[in-house]
C-alpha cells in the first residue's frame, strides 16, 4: 500500500499544511511525495516517513498539468492525498475526475484505509463515509493532523519526473502575493480576527499591535473582507481558511455559523463583543462584553507589561 | 457564446440543519430550501457577461428532485434564458452530478460553464473540477474576477497566499468565489417573465450515466458541542486568565 501526497513548497521550505498531510497519509503505509516547481526537493527528502520524492520541477502550477501528471502515475497508488489548501482543493478533485473516483474532501479524521470523517453543512454535522473506489483521493484538513517532522537521518531519494501528457490549454499568468511578516494563518499558534465591528480599514489596523505582542496571525470575518478591511486570504470560515490555533481571539465579530466553521476547534477562544447575546460567546472560553475600541488599546497595554 | 450555469437547491444558509435521529443524514423535511449562494453568484456573472456582450444565451441546469424547479425559475428571473431540470430522487455525489452535467453540456455545446465553487450542504468543492476533467477543459476555480476576450478567459483566483491569474482557452469551466460579484435580486416583473421562459425536464435515468454512489454514508452525527466558558469583567482579568489558567500566553 503506497500513498502519493501532493506537497507544496514555499521557497525552499515545505508548507506546514503539507507536512500534516504526510503525517495523515502515514496511517495508510508507505508515502511518496510529489513536489511541483523548482524549490523544496531537499527539504521534501527530509520529511520523516517519506520513501521517495517525485520532483516535477518544470511542471507549471496549473491544475490541468498537475492532475494529468498524477493521474498518469495513479496506478502505483491506492491513496492520493493533499492538504485541503486552495492548491490541493483545486487539483485533487480534478485528479478524481480523471480517474473516475469520488473525491473525499476536507477529511478531519481517518478511521481506516477506506473510512473517513468530514464535516458537512458548515460543520453542523460530521459525516463518516466509506469509499468503494479502488483509489481513494482525499484532501485533509491540516488543523486536525500533527505535522510530520523533518529529519537528516536518511534523506529519501529524489526522482525527477516530467509530464508526457497532453493537457488542455491553460496559461499561468502569475500571482500577486499579499506580503506579510506575520505567521501564516493556518499554522499560527495565536490568531486574532476582526469583524464588521471594527468599522473600517483604518480601525482594522488596531489589531496589529496586539498581534505583534502575541506573535499572532490576523484573520477576518467575511463581512470584514467584503467591506475591504482585510484581503480575502485572511477570511476564516466555511469558505475561507480553517484554523485551530492554541488561542483564537475574536474581536467585533458576531460568530455566524459560517465563521465558527473555521475556528471552533481552536484550543482556547476569546471573544470581545459589545453585544452580550452575540453567538460567538456560546463557543468562547473567555468572553469580554465591551467596546473593542476601548478593549484593544487596554489589551495592548496589558500585554506590554 | 452560450453559457451553461449548473445550480443546486440546498438548505437555506440561514437555517441551522438538524441531524436525523437515526444518524443517516441531515433532516431536510419541511426546511426552507434556496439556491446555493455560490450558484447565485454564478448566475449573476453569466448575466453580466451577457450584458457586456460576451455571451448570447444562458442555460441553467439543476439536477435533483421535481421540487428543484423553483431554483431554475429564480435563476431565470435573474436573467437566465431557459432552464433544464435533470430529474432524479437519488442522492447524488459530485462525480455523478458531473457526469450528468457532461451529457447536457455535450448536447448544449456552450463556450463556458460557470458554477459555484462549493455547495453549502455537502461542502465538497469538487463538482467543477471533476466536470472540467471529464470534459478535458481547462478550469478557473475560486474566481474573484473574470474577463472574456479573444476566445480566452482570464480568471483571477483566490489562492492561498494572494490572487493568482490564469488565462484559459474556451470552452472552460469557472467556479465562483464569494467576491466575484453581488447577485441582484429578482424583481417582480422579472419573476413574472421567468414563469414563461422554457423549462425542460429530463429524467436522469434516460441519460445512460452510472450514478451509483461511491461513498457509503456510515453515519452523520452532531459534532461535540463546545461549552461556553466564562465572562470576564476586565482586560486585566482576561490577560490574567490567559496567562495563569489557560497558559496560552
Ligand atoms: C455561503 C456563505 C459562506 C460564508 N462564509 C463565511 C466564512 O467563510 N467566514 C465568515 O466569517 N463568514 C462567512 N459568511 C458570512 C456569515 O454568514 C456572516 O455574515 C459574517 O460572518 C458576519 O461577519 P461579522 O461577524 O464580522 O459581522 P456582524 O455579524 O455584523 O457582526 C459584527 C459584530 O461586531 C459587534 N460590534 C460592533 N461594534 C462593536 C464594538 N465597538 N465593540 C465590540 N463589538 C462590536 C456587534 O455586536 C456584532 O456582533 C458566509 C455566508 C454565506 C452565505
Ligand atoms: N445537483 C446539482 N445540480 C446542479 N449543479 C450542481 C449540483 N450539485 C453541485 N452542483 C454544482 O457544483 C457546485 C459545487 O458543488 P460541490 O462540489 O457539491 O460542492 C455547485 O455550486 C453547483 O454549481
Amino acid at each position: 500500500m503506497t500513498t502519493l501526497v501532493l506537497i507544496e513548497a514555499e521557497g525552499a521550505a515545505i508548507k506546514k499544511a503539507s507536512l500534516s498531510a504526510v503525517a495523515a497519509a502515514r496511517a495508510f503505509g508507505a508515502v511518496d511525495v510529489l513536489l511541483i516547481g523548482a524549490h523544496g526537493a531537499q527539504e521534501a527528502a527530509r520529511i520523516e516517513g517519506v520513501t521517495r520524492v517525485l520532483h516535477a520541477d518544470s511542471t507549471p502550477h496549473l491544475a490541468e498539468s498537475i492532475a494529468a501528471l498524477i493521474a498518469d502515475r495513479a496506478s502505483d497508488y491506492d491513496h492520493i492525498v493533499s492538504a485541503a489548501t486552495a492548491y490541493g482543493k483545486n487539483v485533487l478533485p480534478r485528479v478524481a475526475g480523471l480517474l473516475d473516483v469520488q473525491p473525499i474532501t476536507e477529511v478531519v479524521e481517518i478511521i481506516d484505509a477506506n473510512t473517513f470523517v468530514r464535516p458537512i453543512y458548515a460543520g453542523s454535522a460530521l459525516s463518516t463515509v466509506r469509499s468503494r473506489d479502488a483509489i481513494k483521493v482525499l484532501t485533509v484538513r491540516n488543523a486536525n493532523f500533527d505535522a510530520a517532522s523533518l529529519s537528516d537521518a536518511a534523506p529519501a531519494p529524489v526522482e525527477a519526473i516530467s509530464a508526457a501528457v497532453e493537457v488542455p490549454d491553460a496559461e499561468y499568468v502569475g500571482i500577486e502575493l499579499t506580503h506579510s511578516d506575520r505567521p501564516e494563518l493556518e499554522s499560527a499558534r495565536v490568531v486574532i480576527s476582526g469583524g464588521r465591528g471594527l468599522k473600517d480599514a483604518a480601525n482594522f489596523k488596531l489589531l496589529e499591535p496586539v498581534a505583534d505582542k502575541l506573535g499572532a496571525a490576523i484573520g477576518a470575518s467575511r463581512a470584514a473582507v467584503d467591506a475591504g478591511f482585510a484581503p480575502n486570504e485572511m477570511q476564516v470560515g466555511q469558505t475561507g481558511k480553517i484554523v485551530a490555533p492554541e488561542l483564537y481571539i475574536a474581536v467585533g465579530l458576531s460568530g455566524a455559523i459560517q465563521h465558527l466553521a473555521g475556528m471552533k476547534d481552536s484550543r482556547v477562544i476569546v471573544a470581545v463583543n459589545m453585544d452580550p447575546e452575540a453567538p460567538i460567546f456560546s463557543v468562547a472560553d473567555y468572553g469580554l462584553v465591551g467596546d473593542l475600541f476601548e478593549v484593544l488599546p487596554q489589551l495592548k497595554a496589558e500585554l506590554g507589561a | 457564446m452560450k453559457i451553461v450555469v449548473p445550480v443546486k437547491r440546498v438548505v437555506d444558509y440561514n437555517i441551522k440543519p438538524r441531524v436525523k435521529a437515526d444518524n443517516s443524514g441531515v433532516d431536510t423535511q419541511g426546511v426552507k430550501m434556496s439556491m446555493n449562494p455560490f450558484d447565485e453568484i454564478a448566475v449573476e456573472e453569466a448575466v453580466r457577461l451577457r450584458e457586456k456582450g460576451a455571451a448570447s444565451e444562458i442555460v441553467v441546469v439543476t439536477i435533483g428532485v421535481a421540487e428543484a424547479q423553483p431554483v431554475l425559475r429564480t435563476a431565470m428571473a435573474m436573467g437566465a434564458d431557459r432552464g433544464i431540470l435533470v430529474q432524479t430522487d437519488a442522492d447524488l455525489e459530485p462525480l455523478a452530478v458531473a457526469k450528468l452535467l457532461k451529457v447536457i453540456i455535450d448536447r448544449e455545446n456552450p463556450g463556458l460553464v460557470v458554477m459555484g465553487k462549493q455547495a453549502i450542504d455537502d461542502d465538497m468543492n469538487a463538482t467543477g473540477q471533476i466536470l472540467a476533467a471529464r470534459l478535458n477543459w481547462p478550469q478557473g476555480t475560486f474566481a474573484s474576477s473574470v474577463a472574456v476576450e479573444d476566445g480566452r478567459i482570464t480568471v483571477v483566483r483566490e489562492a492561498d497566499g494572494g490572487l493568482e491569474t490564469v488565462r484559459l482557452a474556451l470552452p472552460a469551466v469557472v467556479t465562483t468565489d464569494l467576491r466575484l460579484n453581488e447577485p441582484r435580486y429578482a424583481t417582480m416583473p422579472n419573476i413574472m417573465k421567468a414563469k414563461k421562459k422554457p423549462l425542460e425536464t429530463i429524467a436522469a435515468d434516460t441519460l445512460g450515466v452510472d450514478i451509483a454512489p461511491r461513498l457509503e454514508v456510515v453515519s452523520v452525527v452532531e459534532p461535540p458541542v463546545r461549552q461556553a466558558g466564562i465572562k470576564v469583567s476586565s482586560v486585566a482579568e482576561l490577560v490574567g486568565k490567559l496567562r495563569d489558567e489557560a497558559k496560552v500566553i
Side-chain angles (χ1 to χ4, degrees):
Chain A
M1 298 264 273
T2 305
T3 299
L4 181 66
V5 182
L6 172 67
I7 59 170
E8 301 160 66
E10 194 159 51
I14 301 303
K15 280 199 180 176
K16 191 161 170 257
S18 295
L19 297 176
S20 297
V22 169
R26 284 173 62 185
F28 308 128
V31 173
D32 287 357
V33 293
L34 170 63
L35 176 71
I36 311 294
H39 308 290
Q42 272 183 329
E43 187 162 304
R46 296 173 53 222
I47 306 173
E48 220 152 7
V50 166
T51 319
R52 194 161 64 130
V53 178
L54 303 177
H55 185 204
D57 65 351
S58 60
T59 300
H61 285 287
L62 284 167
E64 295 78 2
S65 311
I66 304 169
L69 192 69
I70 294 173
D72 211 26
R73 298 175 161 264
S75 57
D76 295 346
Y77 300 101
D78 36 44
H79 292 80
I80 297 172
V81 177
S82 85
T85 53
Y87 188 84
K89 292 196 271 200
N90 186 34
V91 175
L92 257 68
R94 188 173 177 107
V95 172
L98 294 175
L99 298 176
D100 190 13
V101 160
Q102 171 57 43
I104 304 152
T105 60
E106 308 270 354
V107 168
V108 295
E109 190 186 343
I110 294 170
I111 308 278
D112 62 39
N114 307 312
T115 316
F116 314 96
V117 182
R118 60 183 303 278
I120 54 175
Y121 290 88
S124 297
L126 289 171
S127 169
T128 301
V129 292
R130 188 177 294 129
S131 171
R132 302 184 175 102
D133 283 311
I135 301 177
K136 265 64 83 179
V137 176
L138 1 153
T139 62
V140 298
R141 279 206 184 158
N142 59 301
N144 298 80
F145 299 92
D146 290 333
S149 44
L150 298 171
S151 143
D152 285 318
V158 177
E159 195 179 305
I161 63 165
S162 60
V165 269
E166 281 274 322
V167 297
D169 182 1
E171 183 191 337
Y172 184 84
V173 179
I175 183 160
E176 208 177 293
L177 287 172
T178 311
H179 181 74
S180 169
D181 295 328
R182 294 186 190 285
E184 226 190 7
L185 201 48
E186 286 144 301
S187 49
R189 207 187 65 82
V190 180
V191 173
I192 179 163
S193 287
R196 203 197 313 259
L198 279 127
K199 305 270 190 298
D200 60 38
N203 284 329
F204 198 81
K205 292 199 169 25
L206 291 172
L207 298 176
E208 287 176 8
V210 179
D212 288 341
K213 299 257 187 244
L214 293 169
I218 296 183
S221 72
R222 174 184 172 192
V225 172
D226 279 354
F229 305 175
N232 61 268
E233 60 276 5
M234 282 193 186
Q235 180 178 313
V236 171
Q238 178 188 20
T239 51
K241 294 200 165 140
I242 311 292
V243 302
E246 286 288 295
L247 173 60
Y248 189 91
I249 306 177
V251 181
L253 61 81
S254 60
I257 174 169
Q258 294 89 359
H259 188 81
L260 300 184
M263 45 64 74
K264 68 177 160 46
D265 292 334
S266 304
R267 190 164 82 78
V268 175
I269 296 174
V270 170
V272 178
N273 197 304
M274 64 183 184
D275 172 9
E277 303 298 324
I280 188 71
F281 286 123
S282 70
V283 299
D285 299 283
Y286 303 106
L288 180 55
V289 179
D291 183 347
L292 68 91
F293 294 105
E294 286 163 26
V295 169
L296 283 174
Q298 286 175 24
L299 191 55
K300 176 187 154 195
E302 197 75 34
L303 290 167
Chain B
M1 179 174 78
K2 188 194 285 186
I3 303 180
V4 164
V5 183
V7 297
K8 186 177 188 186
R9 172 181 181 260
V10 297
V11 171
D12 188 88
Y13 81 96
N14 280 310
I15 308 281
K16 170 135 182 59
R18 297 255 166 263
V19 168
K20 285 187 198 159
D22 65 358
N23 294 120
S24 62
V26 162
D27 198 355
T28 55
Q29 284 293 316
V31 171
K32 181 178 178 208
M33 306 293 281
S34 304
M35 193 191 312
N36 184 40
F38 289 96
D39 305 353
E40 289 181 348
I41 296 171
V43 173
E44 175 66 31
E45 199 60 22
V47 174
R48 288 187 191 188
L49 285 169
R50 196 187 51 201
E51 286 167 352
K52 285 183 202 145
S56 48
E57 192 190 12
I58 300 163
V59 182
V60 284
V61 185
T62 194
I63 301 174
V65 292
E67 291 79 6
Q69 280 197 19
V71 305
L72 293 176
R73 292 286 174 207
T74 303
M76 290 190 274
M78 290 172 70
D81 298 296
R82 59 189 170 90
I84 301 174
L85 167 68
V86 178
Q87 197 177 331
T88 171
D89 289 338
D91 268 334
L92 297 183
E93 293 164 355
L95 179 67
V97 171
K99 287 180 176 180
L100 290 168
L101 287 173
K102 181 172 183 298
V103 177
I104 302 298
I105 287 162
D106 286 342
R107 201 180 76 173
E108 293 285 340
N109 203 19
L112 181 66
V113 172
V114 186
M115 57 203 286
K117 78 162 181 184
Q118 183 170 339
I120 61 162
D121 49 6
D122 68 9
D123 279 336
M124 270 285 183
N125 190 339
T127 309
Q129 298 89 313
I130 297 173
L131 177 64
R134 302 198 70 82
L135 288 163
N136 197 30
W137 290 3
Q139 69 187 45
T141 55
F142 326 151
S144 65
S145 88
V146 301
V148 175
E149 57 205 342
D150 305 329
R152 295 180 85 84
I153 186 165
T154 301
V155 181
V156 178
R157 309 182 49 243
E158 299 199 0
D160 294 303
L163 293 175
E164 182 181 286
T165 305
V166 293
R167 196 173 293 134
L168 315 172
L170 295 173
V173 174
V174 167
T175 75
T176 61
D177 218 314
L178 293 171
R179 247 77 56 192
L180 184 56
N181 62 48
E182 225 173 278
R184 70 194 66 192
Y185 288 102
T187 60
M188 220 6 149
N190 286 341
I191 292 171
M192 297 314 288
K193 259 191 257 168
K195 291 193 174 145
K196 300 202 185 75
K197 291 185 180 178
L199 194 163
E200 183 188 359
T201 299
I202 303 172
D205 56 16
T206 62
L207 295 180
V209 172
D210 170 19
I211 55 171
R214 304 294 183 83
L215 304 179
E216 174 200 344
V217 177
V218 179
S219 71
V220 174
V221 300
E222 306 253 355
V225 263
R226 195 173 173 117
Q227 295 304 323
I230 58 161
K231 291 259 169 62
V232 292
S233 54
S234 71
V235 173
E237 187 188 350
L238 172 64
V239 171
K241 294 277 188 201
L242 292 178
R243 259 194 199 120
D244 307 327
E245 193 175 89
K247 300 193 190 339
V248 280
I249 58 172

